Amino acid sequence: MDGLDGPNYVGTGCFFSRRVFFGCPSDFITPEIPELRPDHAVDKPMQAESTLVLAHHVADCNYEKNHTNWGSKLGFRFGSLVEDFYTGYRLQCEGWKSVFCDPDRSAFLGDIPIALNDVLNQTKRWSVGLLEVSLSKKSPLTFGVQAMGPIMGLCYAHYAFWPIWSIPITIYAFLPQLSLCSGVSIFPKVSDTWFLLYIFLFVGAYGQDCVEFVLAKGTFKKWWSDQRMWMVRGVTSHLFGSIEFLLNCVGVATQGFNVTNKVVDNEQGKRYDQGMFEFGVKSPMFMSLAILSTINLVAFLEGLIRVLRGRDLDGRFFVQVFIAGFVVLNCLPFYEAMMWRTDKGKMPTKIIFVSIFLTFALYTTGTFMLKE
């Protein structure tokens, strides 16, 4: 995107020219109040009564509803929970361009949530908002392609359809493992030519991602944590966000807007600095993480036993054992939070016991349905 019309706006680390909020580059839209023009020169003190009255008037929640262009043609655009992404997208559709600037000295500093529940709730909200954009009349696949061209439109679509990653990630997190526990092979054997395709896709995708991450001034450790969080979001915030969006579409009331908590206490900060996940609260999204961790551990152990007993000499279960083992490796911090940690950031006991019960139910149902 940086080599085309410029990178997208994602909420922080950005300066705007005031002019961009008043129509496209060739068509200036005059605001309803002259004092709101981008070229208006302030000639009264900030504490003047007339200034305060006008400020309260335009800041009122009902101002935009009174047949104004704010939120549709002027200012930040309404209609999505990701107002930053949507606004930047609409501005570039109107013909505005952005420039990426990365000085040696940090240009912006800010706070981020460090507790896992806060991170996932924030990402869930983003997932709902992104689907509101991607499946609307202003979808990047239709409106965006027409306004910016196919490449920029597809770039925005890549981000807008971000939540649907939950579908393949969730499938790969459970189906191969349940099939392995049932003795059902769903991938090619090691001796099969198609096996090389799976090796190529896995090594190629992860290798390219790792190289690009390191070249962008990252480290291998940070990359490993990043790809782990990609999988975590796939079975939690993206999945729950997609479900919430579908419920909203059919008129079912959901939890609504949640303000992201960025307040950090000393103990949380210490655990964060040590690279420890912060659980601590009872969240439905932790339930799916606990079930995922448990079912993959069971499948991996069953796969190892199968190999040690010589029941997989032709390698037909190799890919499934490898996937389960890879997930187990990523879930090591979760096992620690479930079994060994004693601090306040550990996995809540209720979540652990309920997840074990649900894992047993899923295991029993899966093996019954997939049994050869």
Side-chain angles (χ1 to χ4, degrees), residues 112-120 261 264 268 272 278-279 286:
I112 59 172
I114 64 173
L116 186 58
N117 183 57
D118 296 329
V119 173
L120 296 181
N261 178 27
V264 181
Q268 278 188 349
Y272 177 77
E278 186 71 26
F279 295 94
F286 292 167

Side-chain angles (χ1 to χ4, degrees), residues 9 31 37 65 68 141 150 168 205 219-220 237 240 261 322 339 358:
Y9 170 53
R37 290 177 58 93
K65 297 180 180 180
T68 71
L141 288 180
T219 63
F220 179 82
S237 52
F240 281 71
N261 178 27
F322 176 82
M339 293 183 285
L358 293 178

Side-chain angles (χ1 to χ4, degrees), residues 293-306:
S293 304
T294 308
I295 199 71
N296 275 271
L297 181 60
V298 171
F300 181 63
L301 294 176
E302 281 206 20
L304 286 181
I305 294 173
R306 189 182 297 274

Side-chain angles (χ1 to χ4, degrees), residues 306-335:
R306 189 182 297 274
V307 172
L308 294 175
R309 289 182 175 179
R311 295 164 58 188
D312 189 31
L313 297 178
D314 57 354
R316 61 193 182 109
F317 292 109
F318 176 82
V319 177
Q320 288 161 263
V321 175
F322 176 82
I323 292 175
F326 186 73
V327 175
V328 167
L329 189 61
N330 275 279
C331 290
L332 291 180
F334 310 144
Y335 300 132

Side-chain angles (χ1 to χ4, degrees), residues 204-214 223 226-227:
Y206 270 83
Q208 178 186 357
D209 188 56
C210 180
V211 170
E212 291 179 349
F213 195 95
V214 173
W223 169 79
D226 183 74
Q227 65 86 30

Side-chain angles (χ1 to χ4, degrees), residues 81 120-132 163-164 166 233-249 254 285:
L81 289 176
L120 296 181
N121 277 325
Q122 183 184 52
T123 314
K124 185 184 74 170
R125 186 176 72 245
W126 292 348
S127 298
V128 176
L130 289 172
L131 289 174
E132 289 173 342
I164 67 174
S166 61
R233 289 192 295 264
V235 296
T236 55
S237 52
H238 290 337
L239 179 62
F240 281 71
S242 300
I243 294 173
E244 183 172 321
F245 172 76
L246 293 175
L247 292 176
N248 289 337
C249 290
T254 54
M285 288 186 281

